[in-house]
Structure formats: C-alpha cells, structure tokens
Amino acid sequence: MARTGADLLVETLVDNGIDTCFANPGTTEMHLLTAMTRNKALAMHLCLFEGVATGAADGYARMSGKPAATLLHLGPGLANGVANLHNAKKADTPVFNVIGEHAIDHIRHNAPLTSDIEGIARPVSRYVETARSADGIGDLAATMLADMAGPEGGIGTLVAPNDVVWSETAASAIRKNSLPRPEFDRSVVGKAIETLRQGETSALVIGAPFISARSPYLADAISRATGCTVLAEAAVARMQRGGGAPALERIPFHVDLAVKRLQDIRSVVLAGARDPVAFFAYPGRPSRLLPEGAEVLTLSAPRADLETALEAIASELGVTAGEPHVVEKPALPAAGAITPENLGRLLANRLPDNAIVVDESITSGVHLYPMCAAAGAHDWLTNRGGSIGYSLPVAIGCAVACPDRKVITLTGDGSAFYTLQALWTMARSRLDILVIIMANRSYRILNNEMSNIGAGAPDADSVPMISLTDPEPDWVSLAKGHGVEAKRVETTDQFASAFAAFASVRGPRLIEAVL
C-alpha cells in the first residue's frame, strides 16, 4: 500500500508524543482514519458527538500532561466541538485537532459542507494551519506540537484537505523540540514576601493548570510564616488534594460571596493565578472582585511551574512543607432525603483513595469541594471555561489517561444533557467511570442568576424555560440505552448503598440522585 500524507501525519503525531485520538470522522477523514487505525501506537476512541471528542481530549491532557488528538469532520464537525475547546482553552489544556477538509480543487465549487474552517478554529486555537501538500503536512504538525508544548501553550488545529492526505509522499516524520515554559519571576520573591507579611489583609492566590500535591503544603507553610490568607482560584483545571493535605479555600463563584470574602484584602500575590473577576457583569456589582486600590503582584504566570515558585518563597522564609495530618471527616448524614449537604458528607466519607473527581456542579455542589478535602488523596478537576456539558467528556479522557484509577463525575441533570452521548463511549471503551447525576429537575443556577442580574424573580412564565419537568428526565433509562448500568436513588441510605456497589466494581455506572 502506498504511503500517503495521512500516514506521514500519523507517524509525525506518534513521534511527537501523541498516543491517543478521540474521533468523530466523516467522508473527508477516511484516509486519515485508515492511517490512524493502521498505526497501533495510536489508541482510537469513537465519540458520537464532537463535543465529547474535544472534551475527552481536554481530560486526557489534564491527567497525562500531554495532548491528545481529535479527528473531526469539516467545519460543522469542528463547530460541534467548539464549546469544550473553549473550556480547554480557558484551562490552558493542549489539544491537537485534525480537521478534514474538501480536496483543494473541490473547495471552489462551494459544496454543501464547505465552510471557513480556519475562521471557526481561530477563537479556540492559538495555532491554526492548513496543509497544502502531502510532503509538508508532517512538518506543520511537528512545528505546531512543539509550539503547543512551549511557553505560550494553547490549542492547535490542523486542517487537512482530502487530496493532501490521499496523495503519496516519501517525506520522513520529524520530531521538533519545544522551547521551555516560562519560569516564575525570581526578581519579585523579596517583594512577594514583603507583601505577604502584611498578614490577613494580604492574600496568596494560587492557580495554574495543575496544582500539585506538594503545593498546598508549601502554601500553608508560607501562610504560617507570614500570616497571609491563602486562596485558590474559583476553578482550577486540576488539583491534587486530600490525604491529610491542607485544604485550599477557593474564591467563591457567586459574585456577592466573592466580594465579601475579599473585602478586607489589601494586597495580593498571584502565583499561577489571574486577577479574580466575576463570571458575569451584574447591576451594582464590580467586575473585578478585589477591593479598589488593592495592590497586585504577579509571581508566576499560569503556565509556569507553580510548585517551584512557592518553593522559592518558602526557602527564602526558611520554612518547609509540613507533613500530612489527620483530618476529621464530616459526620455521615442521618437517613432521609438527599440534599446538597448530605451528598457532600456521603462523598467525603466514601470517596475511593486515588480517585479522580470531575466536578460540574455549582448549586448542588456547594458542599462537595470543601467537605471532600477530608477524603483520601484524590485529584479534583473543575470547569474553567464555564461552557456546560464539560464533565462527562472530560471524565472519558481522565479514564483513558489513568485506567487504574476510579473516575467520579459530578454533574447536574441539565448540564449532563449537553453531552449525554459520552455515556456510549464510556460503555464502548469500558471505562471505569461512576457518573453521579444530581437531579434537581431544573437549571437551578438560573433561578438565582435571574434575580442577581436584575431580571426579576422566576415566575409562572419564565420557570418553564429553566425547569426540566413535564416530562422529567429518566436518567436510568437514558444510561441503560447507552449501555451503562444505572440506579435511581432518593434517600441517603439508597445513595450510600448504590455508591458502595458501583464504586467497588470496574466499568461505567451511573447514579441518578434525586435532590
């Protein structure tokens, strides 16, 4: 069989560290699909919706530390995946998209699926290129992957015209080295310490795509030495926590709570974090959450090594990271209805050690993050981009990257509907994921946001547009229809029993917890 541009592209991806692809291909991707499935160094996972493929690639990269590829069909296929590419972009997650395109000569005929693929890709990609020859497609891919791993990071999108990938080539795959990521600013360490020594009115705000297990210990040591407040960003792409580690308080999501929490802060050191802002503009509330006049000093950029930056401050202060300590878990709830607080107590006590938690909860999850700080060691992933339908696809990527770890997915019923096709891929790839649907039968967050933003209170006319009743979703049937075993629970006892049964076995499972 002749060696084609598609073969060269796949060889280049593999040689540059890509070992996994989440795909939803069409006619223009058949040569690419053949080359990908023929190369056994590349694991392929079929996704029934492009938003599942892009979200899965995001989750894979968060847990593996390297990008996965997606294979998508023309502009409309890419457009279907944009929401979770937006989330990946906000999380500084590298994703490498391969988008099929019409043969170059065919584009001028404006066939039904012709579109501006580069135009669709640019808002969610740092690097966008269209291959023009079979000989050159490998160099384009290698350059893009090197740039994605470098100081700027970002998402890469390579448009692959059909005639480019079916044409023969003798070009060799090449590997390109990336430039190093940015370091923290060593020149401001002294100023950072001076700032943090102002006590509780100063704050060390930490973020970055990855908060390592050692980082909370270092932040705690810095706090004890200086008296400063330590806060994490409201959403962090990946955080290692639990197992006796100091708990990291997050800046609240809700604007009023965030403003109240930060009202006494007069100076801030940003370590991997950005200046905190509200998710939306609200009448009479600020967009920037820090008090007016608060001094802000940036120690390290989001893509810099957070742990090394914190280590430098700790070293200058003459303190070291502490040891794990015994953390008392919250009391188990009494028998009765499932509430957000009861759910938090149950998970804090039952979370498997070394679990990966993918959290897409706001109103129903208010207790989950703080209470689970008392659980065993685990990773906690949150949605930095805000586009809902993130958690089920991201869980797929996490499970593929870490097949020996249990993945727990926390999501509301409204959010889960956006990418419920992910359940099929979980079953198809036999992934070890436990999905917990927090079924409150509404887009509950909008009940609060309607009044917060000055649009009045929900009433008989508006409630039907933010409720999930008439009919109520049946997540047990939906899960089973996708090949996933499921159970509906309505009491704390039922939840505890279902969780114990499902968490003790491998493979995808779903619990519909009626709140």
Side-chain angles (χ1 to χ4, degrees):
M1 180 177 288
R3 183 168 171 276
T4 65
D7 294 307
L8 174 59
L9 174 58
V10 175
E11 291 166 13
T12 302
L13 297 183
V14 169
D15 286 354
N16 285 272
I18 298 288
D19 58 16
T20 300
C21 178
F22 300 96
N24 187 288
T27 300
T28 46
E29 293 74 52
M30 289 299 97
H31 291 275
L32 290 162
L33 180 64
T34 300
M36 287 179 169
T37 54
R38 191 164 53 235
N39 192 317
K40 301 308 178 186
L42 187 67
M44 300 291 293
H45 296 269
L46 176 61
C47 302
L48 300 185
F49 174 61
E50 293 88 347
V52 175
T54 53
D58 179 3
Y60 182 90
R62 293 195 200 194
M63 294 308 303
S64 69
K66 59 184 179 181
T70 71
L71 178 63
L72 307 178
H73 183 44
L74 296 166
L78 171 60
N80 281 341
V82 159
N84 273 326
L85 288 175
H86 164 84
N87 290 333
K89 177 183 177 182
K90 292 293 185 179
D92 286 312
T93 306
V95 175
F96 187 85
N97 302 302
V98 179
I99 314 299
E101 170 63 294
H102 292 301
I104 293 172
D105 186 60
H106 190 68
I107 293 173
R108 63 187 175 87
H109 297 289
N110 196 27
L113 283 170
T114 303
S115 63
D116 180 5
I117 300 177
E118 287 194 2
I120 297 169
R122 283 196 181 93
V124 291
S125 307
R126 184 178 292 276
Y127 314 98
V128 181
E129 297 284 353
T130 297
R132 298 297 175 185
S133 69
D135 290 345
I137 194 169
D139 183 70
L140 277 180
T143 300
M144 192 178 296
L145 285 167
D147 290 343
M148 288 168 58
E152 297 299 323
I155 293 170
T157 298
L158 178 63
V159 183
N162 217 355
D163 52 339
V164 168
V165 297
W166 75 43
S167 296
E168 295 184 16
T169 181
S172 298
I174 59 173
R175 180 171 184 174
K176 295 193 174 182
N177 295 321
S178 61
L179 295 173
R181 291 190 177 188
E183 295 187 357
F184 68 96
D185 190 348
R186 296 179 183 273
S187 69
V188 304
V189 170
K191 176 63 175 175
I193 291 173
E194 179 184 335
T195 299
L196 297 175
R197 278 183 167 149
Q198 297 175 29
E200 293 182 356
T201 61
S202 63
L204 174 62
V205 180
I206 66 175
F210 175 42
I211 296 180
S212 67
R214 184 172 169 78
S215 294
Y217 290 99
L218 290 167
D220 181 65
I222 293 167
S223 176
R224 286 186 282 105
T226 63
C228 75
T229 298
V230 174
L231 297 168
E233 290 183 297
V236 175
R238 177 189 174 193
M239 180 191 301
Q240 291 181 328
R241 63 197 297 261
L248 284 176
E249 178 190 355
R250 296 188 303 192
I251 296 172
F253 164 82
H254 294 285
V255 62
D256 292 334
L257 296 177
V259 169
K260 182 178 180 180
R261 180 64 184 91
L262 298 171
Q263 64 185 358
D264 296 324
I265 300 299
R266 297 292 175 262
S267 56
V268 171
V269 173
L270 299 177
R274 297 175 175 88
D275 198 328
V277 298
F279 241 67
F280 305 102
Y282 297 89
R285 277 92 149 188
S287 291
R288 185 171 181 261
L289 297 175
L290 290 171
E292 187 175 348
E295 176 189 0
V296 176
L297 178 69
T298 298
L299 173 67
S300 59
R303 284 182 55 78
D305 186 338
L306 170 66
E307 186 177 313
T308 301
L310 296 178
E311 192 77 67
I313 292 182
S315 177
E316 192 72 20
L317 287 168
V319 298
T320 58
E323 298 295 325
H325 57 283
V326 176
V327 181
E328 185 176 350
K329 294 181 179 179
L332 284 167
I338 301 172
T339 65
E341 181 177 354
N342 286 344
L343 192 61
R345 293 179 181 276
L346 286 162
L347 286 174
N349 280 275
R350 300 289 186 252
L351 194 68
D353 287 346
N354 209 32
I356 300 168
V357 180
V358 183
D359 179 15
E360 188 172 17
S361 62
I362 299 177
T363 52
S364 295
V366 64
H367 300 284
L368 295 173
Y369 172 83
M371 286 187 174
C372 285
H378 61 276
D379 282 82
W380 199 278
L381 282 65
T382 49
N383 185 358
R384 287 178 61 83
S387 181
I388 63 177
Y390 123 98
S391 59
L392 297 183
V394 165
I396 289 172
C398 293
V400 171
C402 304
D404 58 335
R405 300 177 64 180
K406 176 71 72 174
V407 180
I408 309 291
T409 308
L410 308 169
T411 181
D413 43 2
S415 297
F417 261 122
Y418 278 63
T419 47
L420 82 167
Q421 307 94 328
L423 296 171
W424 185 88
T425 300
M426 293 178 191
R428 177 59 149 359
S429 295
R430 294 168 177 79
L431 301 176
D432 195 14
I433 300 172
L434 174 52
V435 177
I436 298 173
I437 303 287
M438 293 171 283
N440 57 25
R441 309 305 190 205
S442 72
Y443 290 104
R444 183 66 56 83
I445 183 65
L446 296 183
N447 282 277
N448 301 327
E449 291 293 276
M450 186 175 289
S451 57
N452 282 344
I453 207 163
D459 56 26
D461 294 322
S462 59
V463 163
M465 296 305 298
I466 56 177
S467 69
L468 298 178
T469 57
D470 191 27
E472 290 189 350
D474 181 352
W475 278 97
V476 172
S477 296
L478 288 167
K480 290 182 177 179
H482 288 79
V484 175
E485 184 178 345
K487 186 175 181 63
R488 178 184 294 108
V489 298
E490 298 182 359
T491 67
T492 55
D493 288 347
Q494 290 173 353
F495 181 90
S497 176
F499 188 90
F502 285 173
S504 64
V505 296
R506 291 190 57 81
R509 302 288 190 276
L510 182 145
I511 298 174
E512 181 181 15
V514 180
L515 275 62

